[in-house]
Amino acid sequence: MIYRDILREIGKRLGDPDLKRFRGVVSQSFVDSMCSILSKEEDYNDVEIPDLIKEVDHTLVFENSQYMVSLPSLAGSGSVIRLVDVFQRPSENFTSSLTLKEIPREDYKRMALEVSFRPTSEEVFYFRRGNNIYFVSGEIADDESSTTVVFQFIENPNPDDWANSVNLVTELNYSRNFIYRVINETISNISNQPLASK
């Protein structure tokens, strides 16, 4: 499915096959609908959107057992819809691997007072506040010069990537079911706008 054919399909279902009435809103509404579906974390599986799933290796350099990463700085577009996972790539050297664990921010606050809430020597805890991810390391990660982790996230879709005759299903591997869910959501959104009732 080529992007312009998707837009025509939306127009056809809205009774505007030549996109004379909806030309100005259909493309942006399609992207908005896709972002809305992606942010809900339901009605789709990550394998349906491989073009938007990004994995970025990033080196954590701990200072005083702490480190902070701005999530948008990792994305090529600077825009992230959702963080999927933070992990270490499998390694044959199990002695240097650490245990990454997401914690609530409240646990981080309690670390100063209660030793039991601090990471053990082989653990690295992290929590998210807005667009920033904060890491707190145990002894081993602190002693090593650097620790590399992988950030897996869903990047904001860019319709410029779909220009010309790029096929979203066969070339970018979006699932056909996902594309049709976005089409249906787009039609619903446009139908509810005042322009559609004229």
Side-chain angles (χ1 to χ4, degrees):
M1 296 183 78
I2 297 169
Y3 186 47
R4 67 173 176 267
D5 293 338
I6 292 170
L7 301 182
R8 285 190 190 125
E9 175 67 18
I10 294 167
K12 187 168 68 174
R13 291 192 194 184
L14 290 166
D16 184 23
D18 297 327
L19 292 175
K20 291 181 179 175
R21 287 179 58 205
F22 298 112
R23 182 177 306 279
V25 297
V26 72
S27 179
Q28 187 58 50
S29 185
F30 181 81
V31 175
D32 291 346
S33 297
M34 183 179 283
C35 290
S36 174
I37 289 171
L38 292 170
S39 66
K40 290 177 189 170
E41 302 181 37
E42 55 190 39
D43 294 335
Y44 72 95
N45 192 308
D46 293 346
V47 297
E48 295 185 280
I49 54 164
D51 182 54
L52 299 176
I53 300 281
K54 306 296 180 191
E55 288 187 358
V56 174
D57 290 71
H58 187 78
T59 301
L60 310 177
V61 181
F62 291 100
E63 188 174 315
N64 194 25
S65 299
Q66 298 184 45
Y67 187 77
M68 188 271 295
V69 176
S70 170
L71 195 53
S73 70
L74 300 173
S77 67
S79 182
V80 173
I81 290 183
R82 182 168 63 87
L83 178 66
V84 177
D85 199 6
V86 178
F87 62 93
Q88 270 192 304
R89 294 202 188 275
S91 168
E92 290 180 21
N93 184 3
F94 290 108
T95 58
S96 68
S97 64
L98 299 165
T99 301
L100 287 170
K101 182 180 178 186
E102 186 172 10
I103 61 168
R105 185 169 178 267
E106 292 73 32
D107 286 3
Y108 171 72
K109 291 179 186 178
R110 293 177 72 175
M111 284 181 197
L113 301 173
E114 298 181 50
V115 177
S116 62
F117 280 85
R118 295 178 190 166
T120 65
S121 62
E122 297 175 355
E123 290 179 317
V124 174
F125 292 165
Y126 69 93
F127 65 93
R128 184 173 178 181
R129 286 282 288 183
N131 285 327
N132 296 327
I133 300 173
Y134 296 87
F135 292 85
V136 181
S137 70
E139 190 178 317
I140 290 178
D142 238 11
D143 291 343
E144 291 182 12
S145 58
S146 63
T147 302
T148 301
V149 298
V150 180
F151 290 90
Q152 186 182 56
F153 54 86
I154 298 176
E155 191 165 17
N156 216 354
N158 181 357
D160 293 342
D161 296 341
W162 308 329
N164 302 320
S165 33
V166 174
N167 190 309
L168 275 70
V169 174
T170 60
E171 293 177 56
L172 299 180
N173 298 316
Y174 286 90
S175 91
R176 192 173 299 277
N177 289 335
F178 176 76
I179 294 295
Y180 276 106
R181 280 194 296 277
V182 177
I183 288 172
N184 291 336
E185 177 93 3
T186 304
I187 292 164
S188 174
N189 290 341
I190 292 174
S191 298
N192 292 327
Q193 293 179 1
L195 174 69
S197 58
K198 292 181 181 178

